[in-house]
Amino acid sequence: MKTLRLLFIFLSVPLFAQQGGMWIPSLLEGMNESEMTNLGMKMTAKDIYDVNNASLKDAVPHFNGGCTSEVISNQGLLLTNHHCGYSQIQSHSSLENDYLEDGFWAMNLKEELPNPGVTATFIVKIEDVTTKIMDGITAAMSEAEKQKKIEQNIANVTQTSPKEAYQENRVRTFYEGNQYMLFVVETYKDIRLVGAPPSSIGKFGSDTDNWIWPRHTGDFSLFRIYADKNNRPAEYSKDNVPFTPKHFLPISLDGVAENDFTLVFGFPGTTDEYLPSIAIEQVINTINPARIAIRDAALAIQDKYMRADPQIKIQYASKFARIANYWKKWRGETLGLTKSNAVGIKKQQETALTSEINKKGKQQEYGQILPQFEKHYTEIEPYSLAREYYVETVLRNVELLRIAYQTYQLKQAYENRGAQSFEDRRNNLIERAESHYKDYSKQVDEEVFEALIALYVKNVQPQFLPDFFKNLNAQSLTNSVYKKSAFVDFASLKNLLEGDAETVMAKLNNDPGFQVVSDMADAYNEKVAPKYEELKLSISGLERDYMKALLELSPKDARIFPNANSTLRVTYGKVAGYSPADAVYYEPVTHLEGVMQKYIPGDYEFDVPQKLIDLYKAKDYGQYGENGKMPINFIGTNHTTGGNSGSPAIDAYGNLIGLNFDRVWEGTMSDYYYDPALSRNIMVDIRYVLFIMDKYAGATNLIKELKLVHPKKEIGKSKKKKKKK
């Protein structure tokens, strides 16, 4: 028992660990329901997920494939984060109508703004289909053969499982390929912008405060789902009507207090809680330092220009925020993994697992997993590093290279699939590019190109570089590309892509920007990708077997939850402060006073609208304040990650109390290792959202749509009545 206790120490600490994990909502009955009840929940598992009756899941759609949102009225009013709606707010902004700067509020349905391509996806049903997906898989198969058969089975289940014509079937893997679940979903495609505070509220603190506690950010925006006359998904049409949900969330005006139960419901993106210690060491020592260095360089250049030019500030606001978000997250992640001794703890767990394997006589089945991890991760490290530099430089941070890479794919489509594929891709590329160049600055991108190419040449091993990169002068190459390439503006690019396929190919091959990306992509595809993918496939097989060993050799009550994979999950915990360092303790709730303490007039990150200052001075908080103060943010022990942005924070009774938007700096390592002492999620208090809508924006039309409740007061009244009896 000693080895098992060591192996699952991170799962079995009584108070803290029962609050970690990202759980499948259809499987909450039993252990999870008991844990939530012990933490103070007054609902049942069926209140959270029910196929046959309205439940919380019916009010929590996936927002645009990357964030979470919640329905808060019977007219399809949708709440999510300001940063989740940022691109849409920006797309409607101009120097004349700067909704990023001034905010936006639709005072009636006619003023709501359409957003082509934005979606809201509801989960209708979740079903375990593991047996069907694993049908025909044998131990004698190679890893590649297993994957091929699994993909065939997934395609068959997806196509043959029952659904309505307006629904979609999706199969997702859990526990590293040891379980498969079918999701039946409905995706709504007419999503209109309803309201957003100015960035000085919705993005207050910006990048300085990002991932930091204490926070004072009103990170919310409002959209509305529209449907056809039958309440079904439909493309945008002026004839569409506001969506009527199966369930929407009532909103509690009673606020939060330390130790209150919190449930966060959403679509967490990706976690790797069960990586071996050698993989975590690589994250700390190799992968994260490379990512951070690249984005350090890109962000410094963009920030310089954004501060100097209001037009560039608008153009690059969304891009900068996107790049900075994970740059800062990776820094905090490395700090947290080191501080919590994640590598040492995982090594202890691996020692304990090895002992258990030997004790149970499972050496033949599981005995080689950890040694093989060591071998494959050591071998893949230089390939992983080269891949990070390639992805961060070509596909994420240099805009000219990213657009040029799309023409590289265009060339591949023509060579592999012919003229029709070329035509389809070209038309799509031109359409996307026109929108892209609206927010493009040649001056900014040129400087980013030079800085990142210099880093690429310096830090990628010579055997992985294109031949012409050896002894390269980054400045000379930059000057040549940005003077002669057609990728520096939309008109030139459009002209470059005119003509038949052969003509376009000839023009592309003579363009210096295309030549750079083509050589970089060819070198990556020939020298890095094949070996990386080969090793990654082997590692995936080991991860599946490792997970199987954990599931098989764990006690029945071990809390082993599946990694996040952008599917609907429940995470539960409590409102709680934390101590990040010796003699330091953070309270769990912040107030408007903190905004005024941080206020710097005219500052890019810490300016405050005059009207908010006036409301603060007058203490004009309406029904949303508490004891003469205006709560803004609070933290809890919920286990969240990217994708949980916009997730509802729900109280013990199923009411909305907040809006998840971030994690604390010291706890960002929870994607790899959940430390109950440090891992905290950050939420906007729903009362601050309502205060901004009502007292600041005057959007009383929206307030009237909501169902506002007082669960704590009602419970208090009930207790008083019982005492009198």
Side-chain angles (χ1 to χ4, degrees):
M1 284 301 294
K2 184 178 180 182
T3 55
L4 279 178
R5 195 176 302 117
L6 178 63
L7 176 58
F8 299 107
I9 190 170
F10 71 111
L11 300 171
S12 58
V13 179
L15 174 62
F16 283 131
Q18 67 181 349
Q19 299 174 63
M22 299 174 176
W23 306 95
I24 302 171
S26 58
L27 303 176
L28 293 175
E29 292 181 347
M31 180 192 74
N32 295 127
E33 188 171 22
S34 296
E35 287 182 350
M36 288 188 283
T37 300
N38 290 336
L39 288 169
M41 185 182 78
K42 305 303 179 184
M43 299 178 286
T44 67
K46 281 194 173 294
D47 291 327
I48 299 169
Y49 175 92
D50 194 331
V51 174
N52 300 313
N53 300 288
S55 57
L56 290 183
K57 77 166 174 63
D58 298 312
V60 186
H62 205 180
F63 183 79
N64 210 27
C67 286
T68 304
S69 56
E70 51 274 356
V71 185
I72 57 172
S73 84
N74 61 4
Q75 298 177 61
L77 190 62
L78 203 62
L79 179 65
T80 189
N81 285 154
H82 186 269
H83 74 261
C84 292
Y86 201 76
S87 293
Q88 286 69 53
I89 302 165
Q90 181 199 36
S91 70
H92 293 295
S93 295
S94 63
L95 287 174
E96 294 75 27
N97 293 298
D98 191 347
Y99 299 138
L100 292 176
E101 183 75 21
D102 304 324
F104 169 79
W105 303 96
M107 296 303 173
N108 54 61
L109 296 179
K110 291 181 180 179
E111 293 181 0
E112 296 176 358
L113 302 176
N115 301 279
V118 176
T119 59
T121 300
F122 291 88
I123 305 301
V124 178
K125 184 176 75 168
I126 306 173
E127 178 185 343
D128 191 316
V129 291
T130 306
T131 302
K132 295 178 181 178
I133 302 303
M134 298 304 291
D135 184 46
I137 304 296
T138 67
M141 289 179 168
S142 68
E143 194 58 41
E145 289 170 335
K146 289 178 183 178
Q147 290 303 318
K148 183 178 180 180
K149 181 61 176 175
I150 286 170
E151 288 171 7
Q152 291 172 350
N153 289 345
I154 287 174
N156 182 58
V157 169
T158 301
Q159 292 168 8
T160 60
S161 296
K163 65 176 181 62
E164 299 295 336
Y166 52 88
Q167 297 174 338
E168 179 186 354
N169 288 330
R170 300 175 180 175
V171 174
R172 297 292 183 264
T173 180
F174 295 80
Y175 293 111
E176 321 321 308
N178 286 283
Q179 183 181 38
Y180 291 85
M181 307 290 281
L182 170 70
F183 291 79
V184 181
V185 305
E186 292 178 4
T187 298
Y188 288 79
K189 301 177 181 180
D190 186 352
I191 313 297
R192 304 184 196 180
L193 178 63
V194 174
S199 293
S200 52
I201 292 173
K203 204 170 162 17
F204 182 79
S206 193
D207 301 298
T208 297
D209 273 6
N210 191 23
W211 304 102
I212 297 295
W213 186 258
R215 288 293 287 277
H216 301 86
T217 310
D219 195 348
F220 77 94
S221 59
L222 292 155
F223 291 79
R224 192 183 303 280
I225 304 173
Y226 281 74
D228 67 15
K229 62 182 181 180
N230 296 312
N231 206 42
R232 291 177 180 172
E235 298 288 346
Y236 169 80
S237 169
K238 61 181 178 59
D239 297 324
N240 287 345
V241 295
F243 167 68
T244 302
K246 295 177 184 175
H247 180 69
F248 67 91
L249 298 179
I251 296 175
S252 171
L253 290 175
D254 289 344
V256 299
E258 187 138 23
N259 291 320
D260 276 0
F261 173 82
T262 55
L263 182 149
V264 171
F265 212 169
F267 294 82
T270 303
T271 57
D272 284 297
E273 302 288 338
Y274 306 101
L275 285 182
S277 58
I278 186 173
I280 301 301
E281 284 180 310
Q282 282 187 13
V283 168
I284 295 171
N285 299 323
T286 303
I287 302 303
N288 276 359
R291 292 166 166 169
I292 292 165
I294 296 167
R295 295 198 180 194
D296 267 338
L299 288 167
I301 293 164
Q302 291 180 359
D303 182 67
K304 176 181 69 176
Y305 284 102
M306 289 171 69
R307 289 181 182 274
D309 187 328
Q311 180 64 35
I312 291 177
K313 179 182 174 183
I314 290 175
Q315 289 177 318
Y316 276 77
S318 181
K319 289 181 279 194
F320 185 92
R322 184 176 63 249
I323 296 168
N325 188 41
Y326 265 71
W327 162 78
K328 196 167 187 179
K329 186 257 188 183
W330 290 325
R331 292 169 61 214
E333 182 176 84
T334 299
L335 176 69
L337 288 170
T338 304
K339 181 180 176 64
S340 62
N341 189 31
V343 172
I345 290 171
K346 284 182 176 288
K347 284 182 176 179
Q348 291 177 339
Q349 294 166 2
E350 289 160 10
T351 298
L353 178 61
T354 299
S355 176
E356 197 65 21
I357 288 169
N358 293 337
K359 185 194 302 183
K360 296 290 177 63
K362 294 284 185 176
Q363 295 93 330
Q364 185 172 351
E365 191 171 357
Y366 301 128
Q368 288 303 307
I369 293 175
L370 291 171
Q372 286 295 308
F373 269 143
E374 191 80 21
K375 175 180 180 295
H376 287 313
Y377 271 106
T378 300
E379 194 173 355
I380 203 174
E381 183 170 356
Y383 295 92
S384 295
L385 181 63
R387 181 179 183 274
E388 288 298 331
Y389 269 96
Y390 176 77
V391 169
E392 286 291 319
T393 302
V394 175
L395 304 183
R396 290 185 180 151
N397 290 292
V398 180
E399 295 181 85
L400 181 143
L401 293 179
R402 190 165 71 247
I403 291 290
Y405 180 74
Q406 293 174 28
T407 63
Y408 176 81
Q409 292 177 305
L410 179 66
K411 180 180 178 181
Q412 289 181 312
Y414 173 61
E415 292 174 347
N416 297 327
R417 298 175 188 170
Q420 185 58 52
S421 180
F422 166 84
E423 291 292 343
D424 293 341
R425 280 181 174 265
R426 173 171 60 180
N427 295 337
N428 290 336
L429 196 162
I430 291 173
E431 185 177 335
R432 291 196 307 270
E434 185 172 15
S435 174
H436 166 81
Y437 281 102
K438 172 178 173 284
D439 297 320
Y440 176 77
S441 166
K442 174 187 173 184
Q443 186 181 17
V444 176
D445 198 46
E446 182 172 1
E447 198 167 326
V448 172
F449 178 97
E450 182 177 340
L452 268 55
I453 288 294
L455 282 173
Y456 199 95
V457 173
K458 178 182 177 182
N459 294 300
V460 174
Q461 292 187 10
Q463 68 267 30
F464 299 139
L465 293 173
D467 291 338
F468 88 98
F469 267 34
K470 294 160 188 174
N471 304 314
L472 177 74
N473 183 304
Q475 185 179 35
S476 176
L477 176 65
T478 303
N479 290 337
S480 174
V481 168
Y482 282 80
K483 282 180 181 177
K484 301 175 184 177
S485 176
F487 291 97
V488 295
D489 64 68
F490 179 64
S492 298
L493 174 62
K494 190 174 181 182
N495 181 64
L496 180 71
L497 295 176
E498 287 179 352
D500 60 27
E502 289 295 332
T503 301
V504 173
M505 292 304 113
K507 287 193 285 185
L508 282 175
N509 289 330
N510 287 322
D511 185 276
F514 181 83
Q515 289 168 359
V516 171
V517 84
S518 181
D519 285 348
M520 292 179 76
D522 285 346
Y524 174 78
N525 290 333
E526 293 167 11
K527 302 174 181 180
V528 179
K531 189 64 176 178
Y532 175 84
E533 296 299 335
E534 174 192 328
L535 291 167
K536 197 67 179 173
L537 183 63
S538 297
I539 288 170
S540 295
L542 289 171
E543 288 174 341
R544 182 191 61 241
D545 295 341
Y546 184 55
M547 193 75 249
K548 184 181 177 186
L550 289 175
L551 292 167
E552 181 180 332
L553 299 176
S554 304
K556 288 184 178 180
D557 59 350
R559 303 179 74 259
I560 303 179
F561 54 90
N563 275 317
N565 59 358
S566 294
T567 58
L568 188 60
R569 303 294 183 89
V570 168
T571 175
Y572 44 87
K574 287 192 171 188
V575 176
Y578 73 110
S579 179
D582 183 47
V584 177
Y585 178 77
Y586 285 138
E587 297 288 340
V589 180
T590 61
H591 299 85
L592 192 53
E593 282 81 357
V595 171
M596 300 309 160
Q597 290 165 9
K598 292 179 177 179
Y599 171 39
I600 304 173
D603 184 76
Y604 177 67
E605 299 178 304
F606 294 102
D607 200 4
V608 177
Q610 184 59 48
K611 185 168 184 180
L612 187 60
I613 295 172
D614 294 341
L615 289 166
Y616 168 72
K617 288 180 177 179
K619 298 294 183 285
D620 185 6
Y621 304 142
Q623 62 181 326
Y624 314 113
E626 183 176 38
N627 300 322
K629 302 175 79 173
M630 186 65 245
I632 293 184
N633 297 152
F634 64 96
I635 52 175
T637 59
N638 303 89
H639 189 176
T640 62
T641 188
N644 277 122
S645 290
S647 290
I650 296 169
D651 70 6
Y653 304 92
N655 305 305
L656 187 65
I657 52 173
L659 184 64
N660 187 83
F661 71 97
D662 207 354
R663 284 174 284 170
V664 301
W665 169 261
E666 299 85 0
T668 51
M669 80 293 183
S670 61
D671 287 351
Y672 298 113
Y673 174 68
Y674 177 84
D675 185 337
L678 295 175
S679 298
R680 295 290 182 274
N681 63 310
I682 306 176
M683 296 160 275
V684 187
D685 193 306
I686 195 63
R687 293 171 297 174
Y688 188 57
V689 173
L690 298 176
F691 163 73
I692 296 298
M693 291 167 61
D694 187 350
K695 305 297 288 186
Y696 178 86
T700 54
N701 57 309
L702 301 177
I703 297 293
K704 290 175 182 177
E705 280 191 46
L706 310 177
K707 181 180 179 180
L708 306 180
V709 297
H710 286 281
K712 288 183 179 180
K713 291 182 180 179
E714 291 301 319
I715 294 298
K717 289 179 182 178
S718 177
K719 287 181 178 178
K720 285 182 180 179
K721 287 181 180 179
K722 287 182 179 179
K723 283 184 179 180
K724 287 181 180 180
K725 290 179 180 179

